[in-house]
């Protein structure tokens, strides 16, 4: 789990192998689900904030092109929950 988290692919790995938490120790599975949920909620909040910032730029007539964070996650994986965005707090 720590290797996948260190590489920023824990949620992606879990989505590709949905049976993985069931095979793990129950405490490990609970930590895994919690980490994935935390990442998803954080990315949703960051995505909402990005949309608000882009709206402000648009209202001011300023072009903006985000290319990292949740945009990168959505572009690479088709889903913003599959990659951590922002500064890591762990």
């Amino acid at each position: 789990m720590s290797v996948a988290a260190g590489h920023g692919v824990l949620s992606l790995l879990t989505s590709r192998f949905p049976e993985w938490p069931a095979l793990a120790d129950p405490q490990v599975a609970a930590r895994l689900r919690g980490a994935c949920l935390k990442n998803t909620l954080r990315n949703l909040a960051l995505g909402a904030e990005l949309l608000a910032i882009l709206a402000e730029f648009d209202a001011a007539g300023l072009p903006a092109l985000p290319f990292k964070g949740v945009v990168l996650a959505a572009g690479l994986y088709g889903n913003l929950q599959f990659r951590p965005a922002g500064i890591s707090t762990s």
Side-chain angles (χ1 to χ4, degrees):
M1 187 167 131
S2 62
V3 172
H7 286 284
V9 295
L10 187 60
S11 293
L12 179 63
L13 180 66
T14 303
S15 74
R16 298 297 188 248
F17 299 102
E19 69 280 356
W20 183 34
L23 299 174
D25 175 88
Q27 290 179 338
V28 173
R31 284 184 35 224
L32 176 61
R33 284 189 298 276
C36 291
L37 178 60
K38 181 180 176 183
N39 179 65
T40 298
L41 294 175
R42 177 173 168 73
N43 282 1
L44 287 171
L46 289 171
E49 183 68 21
L50 177 60
L51 290 175
I53 291 168
L54 290 174
E56 292 291 325
F57 272 86
D58 189 50
L62 298 170
L65 179 65
F67 59 91
K68 290 190 71 178
V70 293
V71 173
L72 179 63
L76 286 177
Y77 302 111
N79 191 322
L80 62 83
Q81 76 179 12
F82 291 155
R83 181 157 172 79
I87 299 171
S88 175
T89 58
S90 53

